[in-house]
Amino acid sequence: MAMTRGGPVRVVASVGAAVAAGRFTSSTVSSVSLGGVYTVGERPQGNSTSDWVPSYDPAVARLYALPQRHSSRAQQRLNYAAKRQPWLIRGMTTESAVEAVEAGEIPVLKGTGEGDLSQQVTRKYLIGKTQEELEGIALSFGEQKYRGKQMHQLIYKNKIRTVKELAQIPKQLRDAMESAGWNIGRSPIHHVATSKDGTVKILLRLDDSRLVEAVGIPVKDKEGNAKLTVCVSSQVGCALKCAFCATGKGGFARNLKSHEIVDQVLTIEDIFRQRVTNIVFMGMGEPLMNLEAVLNAHRTINKELLIGQRMMTISTVGVPNTIRRLAAHKLQSTLAISLHAPNQDLRSQIVPSAKGYPLDALLEDCKYYFETTGRRLSFEYTLLAGVNDQREHAEELATLLHQWDLGRHVNIIPYNPIADSEFERPTKARVLAFVETLSKRRVTTSVRVTRGLDANAACGQLRNEFQKTPLQAPMELSVPA
Ligand code: SAH
């Protein structure tokens, strides 16, 4: 592929080339675009993802009544989407929903969304429990209340991994708890990769042998204080398939349970022997597709691990009807929106799920979030050479952010090359020009320094190396000394 370093035009990727050549016009896109019929519907309230699926939903009913001329595969996928993720298709006409499914634009969660967790049905996890709840558990076994406080300390501070190893707790209580199915909820470390800059990427092997990634990123702040950020995953894989993301390429397996999210933080603290200062939900998966577990993990990290809400960032590409739901929780954490493009046309080429959630609707929901929580949002923008990194894109982005007045901070992420992708990383000059254009328009930026490139820095990359399909780990463990 032709590439002129530092030159004005870099033909780098099929999408980029098409955009550069003007082949991707809005009409090409709108032939499958759903924007025109999208309506903001409210997802029913409930406690788990399955509760969100209403027993009767007109969108579901309509899709079940699809005429048979559609391919049985499309019919099947659509029924699946209708059952499990009706909010993704609500408001679409049947025709456009069929088109969208056939074009692969509706992320269809394969499997049950729970994974093969038959083992876990009777399992109960202590991670996530408050001190009061742990005291209640101790009392329920006829033990004294203070055992709960001890367990709290041992689990969250000492990071004991199994009930058996809770040495201060009487053996009788440990045995009784184990027989009753209580686990702490820690997963074995399957692999650790350390990069020269100190970044550590880990793979945890979950109960169903699936692998999930977490990254520990040590930094010094301006005052020279040691900070430790953990990039946590919220799902095993991801259904949303952003064009440049390694996680999406590996497919989607299941949502993480809240203890599996908290475990990532505990493990990184353990490896670094240092307190974690910041959490970013920017690992594998889309946090808002697993909102309940993410909220529970957020609570535990805040209340039990004592990491401030303001030290946490939840990053989303945007999932219909979830931002408003999140707003109701009035978190003091930052909501970061993965924008990646300043307009709907370009965005929907890079982020396929944007076709079902147009930019205007997303920003409308962001506005609601800001008004409800009082927290400004931040925006992420992955710079892809020749695709979305021109000065005009920066100008248009600045205009968009001023127009919506939601926040004026953009976190620029120069593309991290991943396997099987034709995108290219922009030159330093191009990144600087983008930053400069934004700053002239009073938009502040931070450019994400690529950490741990030698340890497969991009999301989902390490996992993909170990586990493509099926998303199950080989049985051998490689635990570092
Ligand atoms: N699903 C969430 C979290 C994804 S990871 C979201 O979309 O926000 C966090 C950020 O890294 C997202 O903005 C994502 O688009 C970006 N990202 C993923 N792969 C990347 C890559 N190879 N290079 C640069 N940024 C990438």
Side-chain angles (χ1 to χ4, degrees), residues 177-194:
M177 284 176 67
E178 275 198 310
S179 318
W182 283 107
N183 286 267
I184 290 187
R186 300 292 301 271
S187 295
I189 300 169
H190 180 78
H191 184 81
V192 175
T194 309

Side-chain angles (χ1 to χ4, degrees), residues 323-343:
I323 292 176
R324 286 168 182 255
R325 193 163 186 263
L326 181 64
H329 294 268
K330 300 205 169 158
L331 303 184
Q332 287 307 297
S333 301
T334 302
L335 183 62
I337 306 292
S338 292
L339 218 46
H340 308 318
N343 60 60

Side-chain angles (χ1 to χ4, degrees), residues 231 238 240 242 244-247 281-287 315-318 336-340 380-384 413-418 448 458-459 461:
C231 178
C238 187
L240 296 184
C242 297
F244 50 80
C245 178
T247 305
F281 285 83
M282 295 184 186
M284 295 168 71
E286 169 47 55
S315 173
T316 179
V317 75
I337 306 292
S338 292
L339 218 46
H340 308 318
E380 286 156 287
Y381 195 104
T382 293
L383 270 188
L384 305 163
I413 320 172
Y415 168 63
N416 275 326
I418 60 166
R448 193 171 307 167
C459 307
Q461 249 180 274

Side-chain angles (χ1 to χ4, degrees), residues 20-74:
R23 272 187 277 121
F24 270 53
T25 61
S26 60
S27 63
T28 321
V29 174
S30 66
S31 65
V32 288
S33 167
L34 307 165
V37 288
Y38 174 83
T39 54
V40 180
E42 277 305 312
R43 177 188 280 192
Q45 297 294 309
N47 286 332
S48 70
T49 314
S50 54
D51 290 345
W52 292 345
V53 180
S55 54
Y56 177 77
D57 183 309
V60 178
R62 203 169 55 220
L63 289 166
Y64 276 120
L66 269 182
Q68 282 311 308
R69 65 193 157 85
H70 301 294
S71 74
S72 63
R73 189 166 158 271

Side-chain angles (χ1 to χ4, degrees), residues 98-126:
V98 171
E99 272 181 27
V101 167
E102 282 179 337
E105 287 158 16
I106 303 284
V108 175
L109 302 183
K110 297 217 176 75
T112 61
E114 293 293 321
D116 178 17
L117 293 182
S118 46
Q119 261 190 321
Q120 293 190 12
V121 174
T122 54
R123 287 186 152 208
K124 295 182 276 190
Y125 299 98
L126 295 175

